[in-house]
Amino acid sequence: MATTPETAEPTADSAAARRPAAVRKVTRHRGEGQWGMGHYTPLNANEQFKKDDDGLNVRTRIETIYSQRGFDSIDPADLRGRMRWWGLYTQRKEGIDGGKTAILEPHELDAEYFMLRVRIDGGRLTVAQLRAIAEVSEEYGRNTADLTDRQNVQYHWIRIEDVPAIWQKLEAVGLSTTEACGDTPRVILGSPVAGIAEDEIIDGTPAIDEIQRRFIGNKDFSNLPRKFKSAVSGSPLLDVAHEINDIAFVGVVHPEHGPGFDLWVGGGLSTNPKLGVRLGAWVPLDEVADVYGGVIGIFRDYGYRRLRNRARLKFLVADWGTEKFRQVLEDEYLKYRLIDGPAPQEPSGRWRDHVGVHRQKDGRYYVGFAPRVGRVDGRLLGQIADLAEAHGSDRLRTTAEQKMLVLDIAEERVESLVAGLEALDLRVTPSPFRRGTMACTGIEYCKLAIVETKERGRTLIDELEKRLPDFAEPLTININGCPNACARIQVADIGLKGQLVTDEQGNQVEGYQVHLGGALGLEAGFGRKVRGLKVTKDGLPDYVERVLTRYREDRTEGERFAQWAARASEEQLS
């Protein structure tokens, strides 16, 4: 490999070489920790524990040691590191308020219980799989289960002693927690109506299956600089939030080659949000897994490992630019040229969650429904499985919007299924507030959170439905318990970032910084922050009611909330 200014050693006639021996100091600059530049030395604790032992190897210790000897036997590097490779995060200890989140040491925040994440690639579930998820929740997770915006299911209150039995039950029906967390290739988002929608451009299911077969649980890709998020969808609704994934394949029709995928890279939110960018390349279905392998290979080899807060692919893409990134992908990894291709069309609808009753291309129907902010439980999931089976379906789907679908319903059985779902408070025709409000885990279980989110979202929905019963515009309200944006606050119409704020009496209370006018799909961009605009938890319903009332009074015909928020005065938004 040719030397660079970062990797070259001093030469004999360099200034360093001419120094007296007593003062000469020869060092090797380790750059950003890029393996492809020859920088293999671990630069932080995370890189060290990954070098010491692959995260996938921890499963054996969980099964043979930790589940037998209990929580106190777990090695700290496994507890707060490698166990994530199998979907396990320590849960927040009860009773610790948000003011202590950034003050206490990790071990002081740990409860002796875990969150366990089940990966559901493409959001695809059978009735048997959903029943298994429900049974694990009831038997081992105190009936907890949340639908995430990554199409996964998350449990809480999981004991290390029960993990092997949980794996056995899930894996018996084809489910897995492999690399559901950690510096790994995470769950592959897919259109929940892949293969069945009447308006589908292309079915990405075979590509998701091939990616999963080749890369998930593969030790060649189990030590990445950080997490790697991906999405594949051929839906004209653009239903997998492709703009905020590390890699995304978006259905398009090439004028010469027909249906395929437009390639996007480098999206991500958190504290330094960046929208993904197009590489201008059209990828046929049978090459998607190869291109995925090339991009994840670039991330593994050239991603920044020195600082955790710069270890996402989005920083490399921003530094390299699209032209260099595509060139490296083609020259070093694919060994062939990609075909230039068109950009995706604007989304064909304002809602991208598939809620409601929709005809499939085979003449049957799928029914999408909305829980409240993704919060469900084991008993409810079991009831959903029973309803689906009773109405002739063996296929369900989770969505990237914390919703669920039942597929393959005969026309004459749709009305009965809808009635059964509504009886469980699972709305098929929800209000915009029920449909558009999303919340992360929050302080109830998350060690990073500062404020509560799930219950706040549930009560906000109820309040807004009472106060604004005739509000009918599509609207997203995303509630996050900390700055890390798991609930996508920057790309919501109303994004709420949890923090401690001062109320009118001068007391420090839970509250939110407000972001306004973010969007994905149509005019994708980040929300606007108004200087000093923060609301307390108790003042949240009043604030949202006030700003939505002003929007309705001032908007022009057809003007979306995000468009109005971009032009409104700070006074109107306060």
Side-chain angles (χ1 to χ4, degrees), residues 227-469:
K227 57 190 170 185
F228 186 77
K229 295 184 175 183
S230 55
V232 180
S233 175
S235 171
L237 283 176
L238 307 182
D239 55 1
V240 290
H242 65 277
E243 304 98 328
I244 54 173
N245 280 270
D246 293 282
I247 185 172
F249 298 88
V250 184
V252 294
V253 178
H254 193 284
E256 297 177 24
H257 303 285
F261 297 92
D262 188 42
L263 176 59
W264 292 60
V265 297
L269 295 178
S270 193
T271 55
N272 196 327
K274 295 182 186 297
L275 292 178
V277 293
R278 297 183 59 238
L279 291 190
W282 178 85
V283 182
L285 179 63
D286 60 1
E287 293 180 14
V288 167
D290 293 333
V291 173
Y292 176 99
V295 173
I296 198 173
I298 290 175
F299 183 44
R300 176 196 61 196
D301 300 338
Y302 291 101
Y304 302 147
R305 294 174 182 263
R306 185 169 66 88
L307 299 174
R308 291 287 287 176
N309 62 3
R310 276 181 53 81
R312 292 293 299 276
L313 182 65
K314 61 187 178 183
F315 295 102
L316 182 66
V317 172
D319 290 347
W320 277 10
T322 55
E323 184 176 347
K324 178 178 178 179
F325 193 95
R326 179 170 170 175
Q327 182 179 1
V328 172
L329 174 63
E330 293 173 339
D331 293 350
E332 295 188 28
Y333 292 84
L334 296 178
K335 309 296 185 182
Y336 64 83
R337 298 295 175 199
L338 294 165
I339 298 170
D340 292 341
Q345 299 293 315
E346 288 190 347
S348 58
R350 294 279 299 277
W351 291 109
R352 307 197 291 181
D353 55 14
H354 303 286
V355 166
V357 177
H358 304 271
R359 181 183 169 90
Q360 298 177 183
K361 62 185 180 183
D362 64 1
R364 294 180 291 179
Y365 289 80
Y366 68 88
V367 178
F369 55 90
R372 296 173 186 264
V373 295
R375 175 55 55 88
V376 289
D377 59 51
R379 283 187 290 274
L380 182 60
L381 292 177
Q383 290 171 309
I384 294 169
D386 291 342
L387 269 177
E389 185 175 56
H391 288 82
S393 172
D394 189 42
R395 296 198 294 172
L396 304 101
R397 297 291 183 267
T398 55
T399 82
E401 310 292 337
Q402 298 181 335
K403 309 296 190 294
M404 285 192 75
L405 282 61
V406 181
L407 311 187
D408 306 328
I409 303 300
E411 184 175 7
E412 64 272 16
R413 309 188 81 172
V414 168
E415 185 176 349
S416 172
L417 175 62
V418 170
L421 291 168
E422 295 275 348
L424 296 174
D425 193 33
L426 299 168
R427 302 297 182 206
V428 177
T429 55
S431 72
F433 306 120
R434 166 78 79 100
R435 188 170 184 176
T437 301
M438 176 188 298
C440 73
T441 300
I443 201 170
E444 185 177 10
Y445 300 117
C446 178
K447 295 185 298 180
L448 300 178
I450 302 167
V451 304
E452 205 281 328
T453 55
K454 289 290 190 183
E455 186 60 29
R456 193 76 56 235
R458 291 165 63 92
T459 57
L460 180 63
I461 291 167
D462 291 341
E463 280 294 318
L464 294 176
E465 287 178 343
K466 292 176 189 175
R467 299 183 188 199
L468 299 170

Side-chain angles (χ1 to χ4, degrees), residues 62-231:
I62 291 172
E63 291 176 323
T64 62
I65 301 173
Y66 304 147
S67 64
Q68 304 297 318
R69 300 180 185 175
F71 186 89
D72 290 339
S73 70
I74 304 173
D75 183 293
D78 287 343
L79 181 66
R80 300 181 192 93
R82 300 184 193 96
M83 290 176 72
R84 298 176 186 179
W85 272 241
W86 289 94
L88 290 156
Y89 277 96
T90 47
Q91 184 171 303
R92 187 188 189 94
K93 189 179 295 183
E94 291 181 275
I96 299 177
D97 64 53
K100 295 179 181 176
T101 297
I103 297 173
L104 297 179
E105 294 297 321
H107 69 274
E108 296 177 294
L109 289 166
D110 288 334
E112 294 189 2
Y113 297 93
F114 294 88
M115 178 275 283
L116 177 61
R117 182 177 295 157
V118 183
R119 63 180 297 152
I120 306 172
D121 292 275
R124 296 169 293 170
L125 289 170
T126 65
V127 165
Q129 288 173 331
L130 185 58
R131 280 216 179 94
I133 289 172
E135 290 167 4
V136 168
S137 168
E138 291 193 80
E139 188 170 352
Y140 301 109
R142 299 191 187 181
N143 204 37
T144 58
D146 285 336
L147 303 176
T148 77
D149 61 6
R150 300 291 304 174
Q151 295 184 295
N152 295 316
V153 170
Q154 288 184 179
Y155 302 120
H156 302 284
W157 299 110
I158 299 298
R159 301 187 319 137
I160 192 63
E161 292 87 349
D162 297 326
V163 170
I166 293 171
W167 282 336
Q168 185 176 26
K169 181 177 282 289
L170 293 174
E171 290 168 3
V173 293
L175 292 171
S176 172
T177 71
T178 309
E179 296 180 326
C181 310
D183 295 352
T184 65
R186 303 283 186 91
V187 67
I188 310 150
L189 296 187
S191 174
V193 294
I196 67 164
E198 287 188 308
D199 62 351
E200 185 174 52
I201 298 167
I202 186 170
D203 180 3
T205 303
I208 293 175
D209 289 341
E210 184 65 7
I211 291 168
Q212 192 173 19
R213 184 187 70 81
R214 287 167 55 178
F215 299 102
I216 307 309
N218 181 342
K219 289 188 178 180
D220 287 341
F221 301 95
S222 60
N223 180 356
L224 303 177
R226 281 197 73 180
K227 57 190 170 185
F228 186 77
K229 295 184 175 183
S230 55

